[in-house]
Amino acid sequence: GGFIQKTIFNEDAIFAGGAIRKGYLIAYNAKAEVMHSHNYGNMEQFRRNFDLGVSQKQHPEVFEGIKSESEGIKLVKRTMSHLWKNGYKMQILPMIVQSGFKFLGYKFGKNYTKLPKNFVIKCSMNKLYWQ
């Protein structure tokens, strides 16, 4: 019963943030495993990260002070290094392009209140959320 009724994205993080504010603890279990993956193209990544940015904008009580951009840059650098060291040099440019789509989607999402609603709906992966 602790999940928020309506959110575009990050329902788990919003729940965890609320639980922490109420005095509960979030435990790390090193043996826990989660399989989660997507095979998104550039525009799907843009839309997903747009919704991520919207979520972070709508819930500053959870995400304020979290530097998603710097974590994203670290991930891009680590991924580039891994691709280079393991002989996948031809995958570096596509990864950088896709990372650019992610970053732009995120930035647009963080600024969605400044954008026309019809444009916001086009940018979002979750179009029904806006109805």
Side-chain angles (χ1 to χ4, degrees), residues 18-131:
I20 290 168
R21 282 193 311 284
K22 290 177 183 173
Y24 292 95
L25 299 173
I26 304 298
Y28 170 73
N29 182 341
K31 294 181 181 178
E33 292 184 38
V34 175
M35 299 295 285
H36 184 105
S37 70
H38 301 281
N39 189 18
Y40 291 151
N42 291 333
M43 283 309 297
E44 291 167 312
Q45 287 290 6
F46 175 92
R47 289 185 178 98
R48 184 172 195 273
N49 281 55
F50 178 87
D51 290 351
L52 171 66
V54 169
S55 173
Q56 289 189 6
K57 174 77 171 177
Q58 291 178 343
H59 295 281
E61 75 280 5
V62 176
F63 300 105
E64 196 168 67
I66 295 174
K67 299 290 184 188
S68 293
E69 295 95 330
S70 60
E71 289 302 314
I73 289 167
K74 283 187 220 174
L75 177 62
V76 169
K77 287 179 178 178
R78 283 194 311 264
T79 304
M80 276 186 8
S81 176
H82 173 80
L83 292 171
W84 186 268
K85 288 177 186 174
N86 290 285
Y88 297 102
K89 295 176 179 89
M90 296 300 291
Q91 291 183 15
I92 292 173
L93 183 58
M95 186 270 307
I96 290 171
V97 169
Q98 189 168 71
S99 297
F101 275 86
K102 289 178 180 181
F103 178 74
L104 288 174
Y106 174 77
K107 291 304 266 186
F108 273 75
K110 287 284 278 193
N111 292 287
Y112 81 97
T113 57
K114 300 172 187 171
L115 302 171
K117 186 170 183 181
N118 62 341
F119 184 72
V120 166
I121 293 169
K122 286 181 182 180
C123 289
S124 180
M125 183 173 267
N126 298 295
K127 297 180 186 334
L128 292 177
Y129 174 79
W130 303 99
Q131 296 179 355

